[in-house]
Amino acid sequence: MTDRPSDPSAPFHFVSLSLGLVSHLNRGFAIARSARARGHQFTFVTDHEPAAALIDEHGFDVAMLDAQRAAWDDTRPNPYWPKAHRVLGKLPGVGTGPRGLAKPWAARRRQVMLDGTELLDTMERIGPDLIVTEFEMHRDIRLLLGDGWPVATIDGLYGTLPGVDAPHAGSAYIPNGTAWSRLRSRLTWEQLHANARLRRRAERWWLAGNDEHSVLDEIATRAGIDPARISRESYMYYHYLDCARIRPVIEELLYPGDERGGIITGPVIDLERGSAGADATFGDRWRELQAGRAANGRSIVFLALGSILENQTRLIEQVIDAFASRGDLDLVISVGRDFDRWASREVPANVHLFSWVPQLEVLAGVDAMVSPGGSASVHEAIWFGVPQVFISGGGIGQDGLIGRMVAAGYGLRIAPRRVTSERIAAAVQQLLDDERFATRLAQLSSSLHRRDGISRTVDAMESIAANSNHPEGVDSTGS
């Protein structure tokens, strides 16, 4: 390992360890540009080939973990998770079918997780002053900590812990409302965490100790990490007392007891992202839509499925049906990799389908958004003051953010099991008619504009790297 400079203004070499999600990469590109403008070196490390190609296309250094990628590919297909919703609540049966296949699959995955040779060799070759990872990359974090590398996690989740009086997206929560509404919200969080704990225990049992969390414990033991240096606050959260935590979240959406420490920098909004990769027809069609909006007052509604929620044919059909007969409204949909399935379909004249659009440019010119609730899209919509109808949820992260947005009056939510074309149309119309949504969002957007989440994130990285740990006086443990 290399000696690290102690001067925060000295040039550092930062490494971003990437999962490969487009929203995470966009955030990483913004941080990397800012760091390079200050004279620092920045390298991405990933085992995701499409991510490596995108990183290279944006002009950044990238190290591809080829052997690790090949090892992960050898564990496919996964016979377990596609059928998890039918299996998780049942006792293990005999060694046949999906349950029987799960055990050898988990054993193969365990070997891949334990082998960090390529990752550690790559870091030794690069010699970074600080490695920045997503908070979910528990296997990599433990391997790196065990090898003595300084690590900071990027934790942009609004997950809510049991016992915290924060709203759940599916509850009848009313800010400063009845005691019953607050109790119901709290019980919903308790139920989510309890169900997850039971599922983890069941996995450990029928996978014979080869479940992910058992293997993570084994990695920590092999790496010589003191178990007391790893805390477990909730079913999906591990906190590492030897890691700084950078939190690109909105302070106004945090609740007492749910801040969990860390360095709060504010959302990273990459306004320099540009429109590379957009459909060839987008520019002309978008200018026509904006002209109609300016001349005739036609509203524009945007549906984007984000980095994860793709192939949502039924949802797209419901949204199209919701606005098909509206002559005063245009609907723009980014369908992602599923575009080829839609290219030959006939859609109403006011529906405009694209495989990919420059989301920031679109958000600057729409009146409402139908959103799955991913933090990147939600933050970008807030930046431009766009009210949202949320049509997803079901996880600690999404429900934590959506619940806060709805309770604060920044948007509306339709539970996945209750999504219909009629409810979507009614919710969007409520956002368009009720000016209070736009007024509240304008205030929050103005607050975000006064902060520079990108610069504050790089400031934090410099301070962490200079101290070879976390900044003096900053609680990075969440305890």
Side-chain angles (χ1 to χ4, degrees):
M1 296 176 56
T2 59
D3 293 332
R4 293 181 287 273
S6 58
D7 179 4
S9 64
F12 294 107
H13 191 168
F14 297 118
V15 160
S16 174
L17 196 57
S18 174
L19 280 169
L21 294 178
V22 173
S23 58
H24 292 177
L25 288 172
N26 285 335
R27 180 172 62 195
F29 295 155
I31 295 170
R33 277 196 297 271
S34 179
R36 292 205 307 194
R38 299 187 188 190
H40 303 304
Q41 190 174 353
F42 206 100
T43 302
F44 288 86
V45 175
T46 184
D47 65 0
H48 192 258
E49 291 180 355
L54 188 60
I55 293 165
D56 183 68
E57 179 182 325
H58 279 73
F60 295 107
D61 295 331
V62 58
M64 178 68 188
L65 302 175
D66 295 300
Q68 182 170 295
R69 177 72 271 155
W72 283 122
D73 289 343
D74 285 343
T75 67
R76 300 177 186 274
N78 181 339
Y80 180 52
W81 290 113
K83 302 180 183 297
H85 63 289
R86 291 182 238 161
V87 177
L88 290 177
K90 302 176 182 178
L91 294 176
V94 296
T96 60
R99 300 174 194 167
L101 292 173
K103 290 184 178 181
W105 168 81
R108 294 197 307 273
R109 187 186 63 169
R110 170 181 174 273
Q111 295 303 319
V112 177
M113 289 183 66
L114 291 174
D115 185 6
T117 303
E118 185 181 28
L119 172 66
L120 299 179
D121 287 349
T122 299
M123 294 304 171
E124 191 66 34
R125 174 172 55 81
I126 295 174
D129 299 301
L130 179 67
I131 301 167
V132 182
T133 79
E134 302 297 333
F135 81 96
E136 310 99 306
M137 303 180 72
H138 299 297
R139 174 252 189 190
D140 299 325
I141 293 170
R142 295 175 190 219
L143 289 169
L144 293 167
L145 289 177
D147 206 40
W149 291 102
V151 179
T153 60
I154 299 286
D155 178 3
L157 200 63
Y158 293 86
T160 297
L161 306 176
V164 175
D165 191 19
H168 182 271
S171 69
Y173 184 90
I174 303 174
N176 303 317
T178 65
W180 166 240
S181 72
R182 293 193 298 272
L183 177 60
R184 180 180 175 185
S185 187
R186 178 169 292 190
L187 291 175
T188 305
W189 286 118
E190 295 281 1
Q191 181 183 359
L192 274 174
H193 286 279
N195 289 345
R197 285 193 294 270
L198 290 174
R199 187 172 70 246
R200 300 296 189 201
R201 291 177 182 176
E203 290 172 2
R204 180 169 299 203
W205 179 28
W206 71 59
L207 294 181
N210 287 326
D211 60 289
E212 180 178 0
H213 293 274
S214 294
V215 180
L216 288 175
D217 290 342
E218 184 176 352
I219 292 172
T221 300
R222 291 189 178 194
I225 300 174
D226 183 353
R229 307 298 295 172
I230 302 176
S231 66
R232 182 78 173 274
E233 281 193 353
S234 66
Y235 90 95
M236 69 180 299
Y237 260 102
Y238 287 104
H239 290 164
Y240 302 90
L241 276 65
D242 297 313
C243 279
R245 296 174 58 238
I246 299 172
R247 303 200 61 210
V249 297
I250 300 175
E251 293 176 82
E252 288 87 343
L253 296 179
L254 297 177
Y255 277 69
D258 198 34
E259 296 91 339
R260 303 189 313 281
I263 308 167
I264 298 175
T265 61
V268 174
I269 309 296
D270 183 14
L271 298 177
E272 299 180 25
R273 197 157 75 212
S275 59
D279 286 21
T281 61
F282 171 79
D284 291 339
R285 293 170 67 184
W286 182 244
R287 283 187 286 272
E288 292 176 5
L289 292 176
Q290 289 298 295
R293 182 172 182 249
N296 307 318
R298 291 176 63 88
S299 298
I300 301 178
V301 177
F302 178 44
L303 167 63
L305 300 179
S307 300
I308 300 176
L309 290 182
E310 294 186 296
N311 300 321
Q312 298 289 310
T313 302
R314 179 56 182 153
L315 173 61
I316 295 174
E317 291 174 343
Q318 289 174 318
V319 175
I320 291 176
D321 289 345
F323 305 109
S325 60
R326 293 286 298 269
D328 61 337
L329 180 149
D330 286 297
L331 176 64
V332 174
I333 305 179
S334 176
V335 298
R337 291 188 295 267
D338 204 28
F339 180 74
D340 289 343
R341 297 174 57 186
W342 287 91
S344 59
R345 294 197 185 192
E346 291 188 10
V347 296
N350 67 329
V351 176
H352 310 272
L353 296 173
F354 302 94
S355 63
W356 190 87
V357 299
Q359 182 160 294
L360 297 180
E361 183 178 348
V362 171
L363 287 173
V366 300
D367 302 283
M369 179 177 179
V370 180
S371 168
S375 61
S377 292
V378 172
H379 287 161
E380 290 171 359
I382 293 172
W383 181 273
F384 289 100
V386 178
Q388 300 169 77
V389 173
F390 301 104
I391 43 76
S392 187
I396 297 293
Q398 283 184 322
D399 282 339
L401 176 53
I402 294 172
R404 287 160 167 75
M405 291 290 291
V406 173
Y410 299 128
L412 300 170
R413 189 233 187 193
I414 306 172
R417 64 182 180 277
R418 294 177 58 82
V419 172
T420 64
S421 297
E422 293 75 17
R423 289 193 175 102
I424 294 171
V428 168
Q429 192 60 50
Q430 184 177 345
L431 294 183
L432 296 176
D433 292 341
D434 191 339
E435 295 182 357
R436 290 175 296 179
F437 287 102
T439 300
R440 287 188 288 261
L441 275 169
Q443 295 173 349
L444 184 58
S445 174
S446 177
S447 177
L448 286 191
H449 287 198
R450 289 193 297 270
R451 305 166 192 164
D452 186 346
I454 299 174
S455 291
R456 292 172 70 181
T457 299
V458 178
D459 289 344
M461 291 166 57
E462 289 175 338
S463 182
I464 297 165
N467 288 278
S468 301
N469 200 317
H470 51 76
E472 188 72 23
V474 175
D475 176 13
S476 67
T477 66
S479 59

